[in-house]
Amino acid sequence: GKQGDFQKMVAAHMRKFGYDDVFCDNAGNITGIIHGYGNGPAMGLFAQYDDSAAAQGNDCENYLEGFVSALYTGAAIKRALVPLRGDLVVGIVAGSRYNAFGTEYLFKHALKKHAGKFAGIVLCEPTDSKVYLGHKGGMEYQITVTGKMDKSFLNNKGVNMLGTMFPLIHEPEAVSRTL
């Protein structure tokens, strides 16, 4: 269909620009790799496209600046013979508008050998030429409450889990304001 036509067009441009490896995967992602000269960590340039728009034959103009900048930046680095210690991975990721399925699939399947080995990733998204911090990192809590369980909030014969956890509910928000 038309999504396949879009993928073939982007992949053809990657090949024309001299990317060393180019492939499309089952999630609709298009990936081009420019090999570095060593075994250093990879760098990534990732952009998204609306695969549902591509499948319907609509243009992906909301994502055009992002994936075109990733595509041409990779080409410019290849053409300039920049000495890369590790691979440069350019990923045009499908489906990011609604979920992260394309990104998850890309890293679990197509980029297995690079997983956990990226020195950095640049997200190529349209931002009106302003630089933004896209992600401050992740935080996860695992809290264990011990004692005899009591289902009643007013009964003091055991430990009420909700009453114990309530003071902690606002803690992640308070921590995030300090980052």
Side-chain angles (χ1 to χ4, degrees):
K2 296 187 182 203
Q3 179 181 356
D5 293 343
F6 175 79
Q7 292 170 324
K8 288 176 188 171
M9 185 235 355
V10 173
H13 276 83
M14 287 179 165
R15 288 184 187 96
K16 177 181 158 188
F17 294 148
Y19 283 66
D20 298 314
D21 294 321
V22 178
F23 54 90
C24 300
D25 62 33
N26 292 332
N29 302 313
I30 309 123
T31 305
I33 299 176
I34 297 169
H35 294 298
Y37 66 85
N39 290 324
M43 290 295 297
L45 295 169
F46 289 87
Q48 65 182 2
Y49 78 97
D50 184 353
D51 57 333
S52 63
Q56 295 168 14
N58 298 328
D59 60 15
C60 299
E61 68 181 41
N62 291 340
Y63 303 95
L64 187 64
E65 296 93 346
F67 70 75
V68 168
S69 65
L71 182 68
Y72 279 85
T73 298
I77 289 171
K78 175 75 174 184
R79 186 163 292 175
L81 301 173
V82 174
L84 302 169
R85 292 184 327 185
D87 293 346
L88 174 65
V89 179
V90 177
I92 312 301
V93 182
S96 295
R97 180 175 180 185
Y98 302 106
N99 60 45
F101 176 75
T103 303
E104 184 177 344
Y105 188 91
L106 184 66
F107 280 92
K108 280 188 176 177
H109 301 284
L111 295 177
K112 267 184 166 177
K113 83 171 203 172
H114 291 91
K117 298 178 184 173
F118 279 87
I121 294 176
V122 175
L123 301 176
C124 301
E125 299 296 329
T127 61
D128 293 328
S129 298
K130 297 179 179 118
V131 176
Y132 292 94
L133 176 62
H135 197 297
K136 292 182 180 180
M139 183 168 50
E140 182 177 322
Y141 285 92
Q142 180 175 343
I143 300 169
T144 305
V145 177
T146 58
K148 180 180 174 186
M149 190 167 94
D150 186 3
K151 296 177 188 173
S152 170
F153 185 73
L154 299 174
N155 191 342
N156 60 2
K157 294 182 180 179
V159 176
N160 180 296
M161 289 187 294
L162 292 177
T164 304
M165 300 295 283
F166 189 73
L168 300 173
I169 291 173
H170 298 287
E171 187 65 22
E173 185 177 329
V175 170
S176 72
R177 285 192 297 264
T178 66
L179 299 177

